[in-house]
Amino acid sequence: MLKGQQDAYNLNQMTQGGQEMKTLKRVGYPVFILVLCMAIVAGCGNSGGGNGAAPAEGSDKKDSGNNKDRVTLKVEVFDRGNSPEGVTVTNNEMTKYVQENFGDPNNIDVEFVAIPRSEEINNLNVLMAAGTAPDVIFTYNQGAAYSWAKQGGLTDLASAIDEHGPQLKEYLKDSLQYGVFDGSQFAVVARRVHLQKYSSIIRQDWLDQLNMPVPTTTEETYETLKAFKDNKLGGDRTIPFAFALAPDSYEPVIWSFIKEQSDEARYLRSVTIGSREYPILMDGHKEGVQFLNKLYNEGLLDPDFALDKDKKKKTENFVNGHSGLFTFDTGTAFGGESSTVAMLEKNVPDASVVPLLPFTDFEGKSRQPAYTPAGMYIMVPSFSERSAEAIKYLNWMAQDEVIQFMAFGEEGVHFDMVDGFPVGKDGDVGAKLLYNSGDMLIVTNGIDFGSAEKNREYMARMVQEKHREMAKQSMEFSDKDAVQQPIAFDKPLDSEAKYSVVMLEKYEELLVKSIMSSEANFDKTYDAAIKDFMDTAGNEVFAERKAAYEAMK
Amino acid sequence: MEKKMKFSTFDVINTMIILLGVVICLAPFLHILSISLSGTGPIMSGKVTIFPVELNFEAYARVLSDNSMIRSMLFTIMLTAVFTASAMIMTTMAAYALSYANLKGRNLFMFIIVFTMFFGGGLIPEYLLIKSLNILDTMSVLILPGLISPFYMIIMITFFRSTIPESLNEAAEIDGCSDFGKLFRIILPLSLPVLATLSLFYAVGRWNGFRDALFFITDQDLYPLQLKLYQMVMNNMISEVTLSEGTNAAAVKYLPESLKAASIMFATVPILIVYPWLQRYFVSGLTLGSVKG
Amino acid sequence: MSRSFLFRRWQLYVMLILPMTFFIVFKYLPIYGITIAFKEFNVFKGIAGSEWVGLDVFKSIFSQQGFYTALRNTFLLNGLDLVFGFPAPIILAICLNELRMKMFKKVSQTLLYLPHFISWVIIGGMVYQVFSTNYGIVNLVLKEIGLGPFPFLSDKFHWLATYTSVGIWQGVGWGSIIYLAAITGINKELYEAADVDGASRLRKIWHITLPGIRTTIIVLLILKIGDMVDIGFDRPYIIGNVMVRDFSDVLSTYIYRIGLESGQFSIATAVGLFQAIVGLVFILGANYLSKKTTDEGIF
């Protein structure tokens, strides 16, 4: 295919040399131009066409040649740029497994289409506009799924599921209902096994130094943080509560101050942004922010927290021994040698941590947010003619032995069973099979071992042995008094989709301005920020929420 | 010219300013370099500034042993060379013709071109065009749509007009030189600095560009190096992603920071060499010689 | 006369065939996409199939306060770049040109353009480490000598300075290349004559070097003015933060914010069209003024 360009390149060399000009002159300029035309336009165009069309022709031939009924099912797969050497996301041991075990027996060619993870929505939009999007597409982005449904671009999968997806239905259970928009099953929603959202740990050695117990209420936690600060346990730079402008920092605090529980309150006084519920108008929200304001003004938070959106500084402060209390996304702080806790122990040899529930609500419960049991949205575009095959594919994937293989590989080859749990073999045996298993095994988010306890046990097994018990306990804590969020309406709300980024930005502004204001100015700042939020987006969103709630009642 | 190498206060101050600038510009690069040479622990703890901590070359060993990286590098070098050559031919032709102030219809042509600097169809029509030209997923799609940058073309026109003396033009015309002859024999040899500069601009633009490939290329053999890099750096950076994807994302193997940094170094160094090499064409005094000859 | 020019200069038109074909095929064929600004774009119905909504998209944009703030900030940030960022590479090119040590000159040129190769995502992380109020390197150093701390990132006026300087740092070396090339084109005889007259270095810069690159400066200035309403996304978005949003919210981030989930294409296209028209007017205006006053221009 490079011939055309090679010509152009040579030609360029020639002309730049200048020597060959005489020859060119003799042959005549029309020829020169013609060559140039061919080299640049025709050359590339032709060779391009040939190259571009080749794979398609190949598969067409296969279709008509081998078997008339053989069809191609195109399935999206994320490309995160992390493929091991020698394989790609569209061609690796797992794609071969899918072809051999699902494709061939069903007379289907499964073709994977790589979608760059970071540009998935743009990319899918372009492919949809061109009518060349894969038959099976998926996203975690609820807003995008809603918007495609609203534009009439998705297939109603209800009948296909009834016909081809008994196993799938059985497996997904409740999560399927999250894919119903306005009465139509526009998405198959994957299961989410682990619903814990946030966990907390505190420096045990600091508590010991102060002779203090592990705090169990918000008040005790506050006293403890103050003691950390007063005694400068983290040096001059002690930041008692590792805090960033990120949900894992502010959500655990704010939710513990919320006094309302009813569905009505959650429909009418919270907004959903992305997959998170923000109880912005609920009773107690203000007190939650005010508590953070107090912590900030007493020097218990990182003064630069507003700049730390990616939590990098927060983690750095903790692993370097400057911070005492650390809240995090469940499952992230414990782990292997490069986990947060392991790093802390390495940097600060005396350090030890203990899991805790630092914040309590007005009833003394440790109310905290949790995920809904729904994972990614799997959809079939309306122009696809493969909805039956798509459901067959998901139905096949929902079998226990397929899930097991796609998550862990083959027993004895990639993993061994120890105490009823799969343990990956050392080394890179499974690398080319399992490196993107989470993006291939799309029907579930996490592996279900049958009970909450077993699932915790399994998760803890991925943690260094010395931290296992702690990790298990931390996960147990994360389940306590957890409130699932968000409550979904039976149809997408236009205003919420429209203002999702605006609301998030305004909410962050509200947090930053209110937390950083002086204690005396707090009321004024907070009220002004709420007003700003309401004026820019809130009023419209809450009006629509109210209307939708009334209609649903 | 500089017979007397006397250093005045002016020289000292000037040199100091440049030296300061160099330090400020070099530091972040050293930072990335040190990260590529450091252990994961110090990186995570924020201890790596401009010197490596726990020095090791593992990341580079991994990058260099990855065949797909090497292949991508070779492809990108070839792509950049072909693109730069084609773009320079096209741009030079257009700029030369349009540098004639009295070319009939010049203002119309210029307007047609300048208009495209501001108005465009957007991603979807472009995608459909490229699809209908049948060049999706080919090297051509990384070459053709960017062949002429109006911006660079205007710069070239400016240079043609300002550095080539009118007398020379007239002399050539009296000699009966054709336009093509004049372009190749008089104008281009006189314009080496701008040719070198614009080649550099085109080459660096192509080398660093990946947005087009993000949409128009799915064949991983045709991934430019920067696209691979972007995937590595970006996909692991969006904290929002790991949050909502929960355990699925955890099941995806992530790349260590040092590997990312090593890949950045690997992908940046080749294009850095181009400029020092092109500097040789930044020689003055050609004007004189040409008039005499 | 006209016939004879066409006839005599047919080769020039032949040279234009391919370039003009290029512009028509790759730039004008897809231009119908502009109509998205006047439609309620539905990805699945395509551009032709989507419904016309007239000026509704524009009306909704022009009725939002946020749009005007973003527009003002775009002018503000681009204006700062014009005032401080535009002359910087010219000054640097002249400084580099005056360096006596050949080797140092070559090496420093290469090192000065390194920042151009570092992506904004990475620069963003570094900016925070370097400039944050309490633990940023700059403020720690300033504290040692008894100054500060300065809220480089958290106060919006300080932030403007940070934004502008980071932009200069990132682009100055790269931007100077074009001027260095222009300086190379200056006739050496002029300098030799000035030497004979015993002119000082500064006088030579003022009377020879600057006039020698005048055309280049003017043309780049005109192009820059045409870009006044156009602003990249990465730099304001990544260097910006919640505390300075009053200034860091520009048209590109505005599009991202209001268009992410809904009608992204219609709104983005409409704002793009607005920017294009303003840009075209600016560049034609600047060109006209320049023609009038200096007789230089791009047309």
Side-chain angles (χ1 to χ4, degrees):
Chain A
M1 76 150 290
L2 293 171
K3 203 163 170 297
Q5 273 116 26
Q6 214 71 56
D7 288 347
Y9 182 57
N10 291 341
L11 198 82
N12 185 51
Q13 295 257 299
M14 215 155 72
T15 50
Q16 276 196 342
Q19 293 297 326
E20 280 82 356
M21 267 319 290
K22 278 178 195 141
T23 344
L24 260 183
K25 208 171 176 181
R26 235 174 280 135
V27 182
Y29 293 119
V31 179
F32 168 82
I33 293 300
L34 203 69
V35 173
L36 210 61
C37 279
M38 273 166 50
I40 294 172
V41 180
C44 299
N46 285 345
S47 60
N51 203 341
E57 273 164 22
S59 51
D60 280 351
K61 233 173 259 163
K62 216 194 257 171
D63 286 356
S64 51
N66 295 348
N67 192 323
K68 268 180 198 152
D69 302 327
R70 200 166 175 96
V71 294
T72 303
L73 178 71
K74 291 199 279 181
V75 180
E76 172 184 349
V77 60
F78 282 147
D79 188 354
R80 298 177 194 259
N82 59 351
S83 297
E85 198 203 329
V87 298
T88 63
V89 288
T90 55
N91 184 10
N92 53 50
E93 289 175 21
M94 187 64 84
T95 62
K96 284 193 193 99
Y97 169 81
V98 169
Q99 181 59 46
E100 281 162 20
N101 292 275
F102 167 72
D104 293 340
N106 290 293
N107 239 340
I108 295 171
D109 282 318
V110 184
E111 185 188 319
F112 285 92
V113 180
I115 301 288
R117 176 65 192 94
S118 49
E119 291 278 338
E120 49 146 3
I121 303 300
N122 273 337
N123 227 296
L124 283 175
N125 269 328
V126 168
L127 294 181
M128 303 251 217
T132 52
D135 301 302
V136 177
I137 57 174
F138 57 78
T139 181
Y140 288 97
N141 187 329
Q142 206 178 33
Y146 281 177
S147 136
W148 291 328
K150 212 178 76 187
Q151 292 177 50
L154 300 178
T155 307
D156 186 347
L157 297 168
S159 60
I161 294 174
D162 283 339
E163 195 177 335
H164 303 289
Q167 179 67 37
L168 182 67
K169 224 171 165 176
E170 160 86 28
Y171 178 76
L172 292 178
K173 294 186 194 111
D174 293 346
S175 73
L176 211 50
Q177 84 192 36
Y178 291 94
V180 177
F181 304 155
D182 238 352
S184 303
Q185 186 82 48
F186 281 132
V188 172
V189 178
R191 252 175 96 171
R192 184 188 284 275
V193 176
H194 305 280
L195 305 182
Q196 302 93 340
K197 221 168 176 181
Y198 304 115
S199 310
S200 310
I201 46 179
I202 196 164
R203 286 282 294 272
Q204 176 72 63
D205 56 322
W206 285 15
L207 294 174
D208 292 346
Q209 279 184 53
L210 298 171
N211 245 327
M212 289 176 96
V214 177
T216 54
T217 64
T218 306
E219 191 50 35
E220 284 174 29
T221 302
Y222 168 72
E223 293 302 332
T224 310
L225 293 176
K226 265 185 81 114
F228 286 168
K229 176 86 184 176
D230 294 343
N231 293 287
K232 287 193 178 175
L233 291 181
D236 284 340
R237 216 179 132 168
T238 305
I239 295 163
F241 181 13
F243 192 84
L245 186 58
D248 75 347
S249 299
Y250 59 74
E251 277 209 306
V253 178
I254 286 175
W255 274 98
S256 75
F257 277 86
I258 299 300
K259 296 195 181 101
E260 297 185 85
Q261 303 266 17
S262 70
D263 276 0
E264 186 178 318
R266 298 184 66 198
Y267 277 119
L268 298 182
R269 287 188 282 283
S270 327
V271 290
T272 309
I273 306 175
S275 58
R276 251 182 230 109
E277 179 182 354
Y278 289 80
I280 181 162
L281 295 186
M282 277 204 210
D283 194 7
H285 184 266
K286 187 175 180 179
E287 286 71 25
V289 180
Q290 193 158 21
F291 177 68
L292 289 170
N293 171 268
K294 185 164 82 166
L295 296 185
Y296 176 84
N297 281 312
E298 291 176 18
L300 307 179
L301 305 181
D302 183 348
D304 286 336
F305 81 93
L307 299 170
D308 190 19
K309 281 187 82 166
D310 60 2
K311 300 182 274 187
K312 212 175 142 192
K313 202 80 201 172
K314 171 183 171 175
T315 311
E316 266 177 36
N317 283 333
F318 188 71
V319 300
N320 287 327
H322 298 305
S323 295
L325 177 64
F326 187 70
T327 55
F328 53 95
D329 298 308
T330 303
T332 56
F334 295 104
E337 270 172 35
S338 56
S339 67
T340 312
V341 175
M343 290 310 312
L344 168 72
E345 288 177 355
K346 196 173 159 202
N347 289 335
V348 187
D350 298 333
S352 61
V353 298
V354 60
L356 80 163
L357 283 166
F359 305 112
T360 41
D361 70 359
F362 70 109
E363 297 173 318
K365 287 186 177 170
S366 33
R367 176 170 177 171
Q368 50 186 335
Y371 285 107
T372 46
M376 64 170 87
Y377 292 78
I378 308 166
M379 294 151 289
V380 178
S382 50
F383 49 74
S384 163
E385 291 162 2
R386 300 274 170 267
S387 55
E389 287 81 1
I391 295 300
K392 278 186 199 166
Y393 174 56
L394 298 175
N395 191 57
W396 166 79
M397 197 187 288
Q399 300 171 85
D400 284 348
E401 61 273 22
V402 175
I403 291 174
Q404 180 172 326
F405 184 89
M406 290 183 82
F408 309 114
E410 196 177 325
E411 187 170 356
V413 180
H414 305 103
F415 71 91
D416 292 316
M417 275 300 193
V418 180
D419 308 332
F421 293 103
V423 175
K425 292 228 185 206
D426 286 344
D428 275 347
V429 276
K432 289 180 184 179
L433 178 73
L434 300 169
Y435 72 99
N436 66 340
S437 120
D439 294 337
M440 291 292 288
L441 179 56
I442 50 180
V443 293
T444 182
N445 193 315
I447 305 301
D448 191 2
F449 288 92
S451 73
E453 195 173 329
K454 276 192 169 171
N455 288 340
R456 278 201 295 269
E457 176 70 34
Y458 169 70
M459 289 300 276
R461 278 169 187 270
M462 293 193 250
V463 171
Q464 281 179 312
E465 202 162 355
K466 55 179 173 179
H467 297 142
R468 240 170 238 173
E469 280 312 308
M470 258 195 290
K472 244 187 335 200
Q473 194 184 8
S474 153
M475 264 181 285
E476 221 174 308
F477 279 157
S478 306
D479 275 330
K480 200 167 171 256
D481 303 329
V483 179
Q484 269 179 22
Q485 58 168 335
I487 294 189
F489 286 100
D490 51 3
K491 68 170 192 210
L493 301 183
D494 284 349
S495 60
E496 229 167 44
K498 186 167 147 200
Y499 290 117
S500 68
V501 183
V502 182
M503 285 197 293
L504 186 60
E505 289 191 347
K506 284 291 167 198
Y507 188 76
E508 284 179 345
E509 222 171 285
L510 175 140
L511 287 181
V512 168
K513 284 185 175 161
S514 312
I515 295 174
M516 292 176 75
S517 78
S518 68
E519 289 193 48
N521 274 337
F522 175 80
D523 275 325
K524 219 172 69 193
T525 315
Y526 180 87
D527 293 343
I530 286 279
K531 186 175 179 306
D532 190 24
F533 179 91
M534 294 303 285
D535 287 346
T536 30
N539 286 327
E540 216 175 305
V541 171
F542 281 111
E544 198 183 349
R545 285 186 79 98
K546 186 156 191 252
Y549 177 66
E550 308 270 295
M552 214 166 61
K553 258 201 306 202
Chain B
M1 179 191 156
E2 258 111 338
K3 277 165 230 156
K4 34 187 191 332
M5 270 298 255
K6 220 173 61 191
F7 285 90
S8 58
T9 348
F10 178 92
D11 285 310
V12 175
I13 294 171
N14 191 23
T15 311
M16 294 304 280
I17 292 173
I18 299 287
L19 206 58
L20 181 72
V22 166
V23 170
I24 298 173
C25 290
L26 193 58
F29 216 71
L30 289 179
H31 176 66
I32 302 173
L33 181 67
S34 341
I35 287 198
S36 71
L37 295 169
S38 296
T40 310
I43 297 173
M44 252 190 71
S45 315
K47 285 180 184 154
V48 181
T49 51
I50 56 170
F51 299 105
V53 183
E54 294 180 11
L55 180 75
N56 71 82
F57 297 90
E58 214 174 293
Y60 286 95
R62 267 184 75 178
V63 171
L64 294 174
S65 69
D66 183 345
N67 275 326
S68 78
M69 281 298 264
I70 308 279
R71 241 185 308 127
S72 193
M73 164 80 84
L74 293 175
F75 170 74
T76 312
I77 291 175
M78 183 177 68
L79 171 70
T80 304
V82 174
F83 171 79
T84 308
S86 324
M88 284 305 286
I89 294 176
M90 291 283 278
T91 309
T92 309
M93 286 199 304
Y96 176 68
L98 293 170
S99 66
Y100 278 86
N102 50 357
L103 180 83
K104 277 257 159 204
R106 177 179 180 272
N107 277 352
L108 176 69
F109 289 130
M110 280 304 283
F111 186 80
I112 289 176
I113 293 171
V114 169
F115 190 80
T116 65
M117 291 172 80
F118 299 98
F119 294 85
L123 186 58
I124 289 177
E126 261 168 49
Y127 183 88
L128 294 173
L129 170 76
I130 281 170
K131 196 179 153 214
S132 65
L133 289 176
N134 232 338
I135 53 173
L136 266 183
D137 236 352
T138 68
M139 190 163 150
S140 308
V141 78
L142 300 176
I143 294 173
L144 297 180
L147 278 181
I148 303 181
S149 146
F151 190 90
Y152 297 160
M153 188 196 78
I154 290 171
I155 289 175
M156 201 187 269
I157 292 175
T158 310
F159 271 79
F160 283 167
R161 287 170 132 188
S162 65
T163 52
I164 291 151
E166 200 53 38
S167 57
L168 199 66
N169 257 326
E170 283 161 16
E173 268 164 50
I174 292 164
D175 281 356
C177 229
S178 71
D179 281 314
F180 275 96
K182 216 169 88 186
L183 172 62
F184 287 111
R185 281 195 297 192
I186 299 169
I187 310 289
L188 292 187
L190 278 180
S191 309
L192 287 180
V194 71
L195 293 181
T197 307
L198 293 184
S199 301
L200 176 74
F201 286 4
Y202 273 123
V204 169
R206 181 62 274 172
W207 187 273
N208 284 346
F210 59 86
R211 293 243 159 230
D212 49 352
L214 204 53
F215 292 99
F216 302 142
I217 299 287
T218 50
D219 180 353
Q220 310 210 356
D221 286 342
L222 297 177
Y223 268 23
L225 202 51
Q226 292 292 337
L227 180 58
K228 286 179 87 88
L229 215 66
Y230 174 76
Q231 307 263 49
M232 277 186 190
V233 176
M234 282 307 287
N235 291 340
N236 300 334
M237 226 168 214
I238 318 166
S239 52
E240 194 66 19
V241 166
T242 30
L243 269 181
S244 57
E245 296 178 19
T247 34
N248 270 35
V252 172
K253 285 248 172 354
Y254 284 109
L255 304 164
E257 289 292 324
S258 58
L259 187 63
K260 281 188 236 165
S263 307
I264 290 172
M265 296 306 293
F266 175 76
T268 311
V269 168
I271 194 73
L272 287 180
I273 299 167
V274 173
Y275 182 54
W277 180 76
L278 281 175
Q279 273 178 329
R280 73 175 75 186
Y281 296 107
F282 279 62
V283 281
S284 47
L286 279 164
T287 315
L288 272 176
S290 185
V291 169
K292 279 173 194 155
Chain C
M1 169 69 194
S2 62
R3 268 190 65 161
S4 79
F5 182 86
L6 274 176
F7 183 72
R8 215 154 36 87
R9 283 301 169 79
W10 63 272
Q11 293 177 349
L12 291 179
Y13 293 95
V14 170
M15 282 187 211
L16 278 174
I17 292 175
L18 274 179
M20 292 321 280
T21 313
F22 162 81
F23 281 108
I24 286 163
V25 172
F26 285 101
K27 305 292 164 189
Y28 281 92
L29 283 186
I31 219 161
Y32 66 93
I34 285 175
T35 57
I36 293 176
F38 306 98
K39 291 186 164 201
E40 168 150 4
F41 182 61
N42 182 315
V43 179
F44 301 93
K45 289 184 188 156
I47 294 166
S50 295
E51 263 170 66
W52 291 97
V53 293
L55 294 172
D56 283 4
V57 184
F58 288 94
K59 279 183 197 150
S60 88
I61 292 171
F62 291 146
S63 70
Q64 287 180 38
Q65 184 54 42
F67 171 77
Y68 297 99
T69 312
L71 184 62
R72 181 205 69 192
N73 290 341
T74 306
F75 279 123
L76 176 66
L77 297 186
N78 278 343
L80 285 170
D81 273 354
L82 187 68
V83 174
F84 298 101
F86 184 76
I90 303 174
I91 297 167
L92 178 66
I94 292 171
C95 287
L96 282 168
N97 188 53
E98 295 295 329
L99 282 181
R100 296 279 192 91
M101 292 174 287
K102 280 252 165 66
M103 200 54 209
F104 178 65
K105 185 173 165 181
K106 281 200 162 185
V107 172
S108 58
Q109 275 178 34
T110 310
L111 295 179
L112 281 165
Y113 86 150
L114 280 179
H116 179 77
F117 291 88
I118 305 178
S119 74
W120 280 108
V121 181
I122 293 166
I123 293 177
M126 293 185 196
V127 163
Y128 171 45
Q129 301 279 344
V130 172
F131 290 110
S132 77
T133 314
N134 293 284
Y135 307 115
I137 296 166
V138 173
N139 270 319
L140 289 180
V141 171
L142 288 175
K143 203 171 151 192
E144 289 295 309
I145 54 172
L147 290 172
F150 294 98
F152 291 114
L153 296 172
S154 41
D155 170 76
K156 56 186 183 181
F157 292 101
H158 283 83
W159 181 82
L160 286 179
T162 312
Y163 173 88
T164 311
S165 345
V166 172
I168 292 175
W169 165 79
Q170 202 252 0
V172 67
W174 181 250
S176 69
I177 293 174
I178 190 96
Y179 295 108
L180 283 168
I183 291 174
T184 316
I186 298 173
N187 194 339
K188 284 220 158 178
E189 283 174 346
L190 296 173
Y191 289 105
E192 280 159 21
D195 278 338
V196 173
D197 290 349
S200 74
R201 297 274 285 277
L202 288 172
R203 281 191 77 84
K204 277 189 282 181
I205 292 174
W206 189 254
H207 290 290
I208 303 172
T209 314
L210 274 174
I213 58 174
R214 177 169 165 269
T215 318
T216 310
I217 295 175
I218 290 173
V219 167
L220 285 173
L221 186 63
I222 294 172
L223 291 170
K224 180 96 186 158
I225 288 172
D227 269 349
M228 272 301 279
V229 74
D230 189 19
I231 192 162
F233 176 78
D234 290 347
R235 186 169 148 216
Y237 184 75
I238 289 173
I239 300 187
N241 64 68
V242 186
M243 292 172 282
V244 298
R245 205 162 275 151
D246 287 350
F247 281 162
S248 70
D249 194 17
V250 291
L251 286 176
S252 51
T253 54
Y254 169 80
I255 293 174
Y256 164 77
R257 184 152 47 86
I258 63 166
L260 188 72
E261 310 285 350
S262 62
Q264 181 174 17
F265 293 97
S266 295
I267 291 171
T269 313
V271 176
L273 195 57
F274 170 81
Q275 286 176 302
I277 292 166
V278 176
L280 195 65
V281 169
F282 273 34
I283 203 170
L284 294 177
N287 188 58
Y288 175 80
L289 280 180
S290 169
K291 275 271 182 196
K292 279 264 165 179
T293 53
T294 66
D295 208 34
E296 308 274 3
I298 57 174
F299 286 98

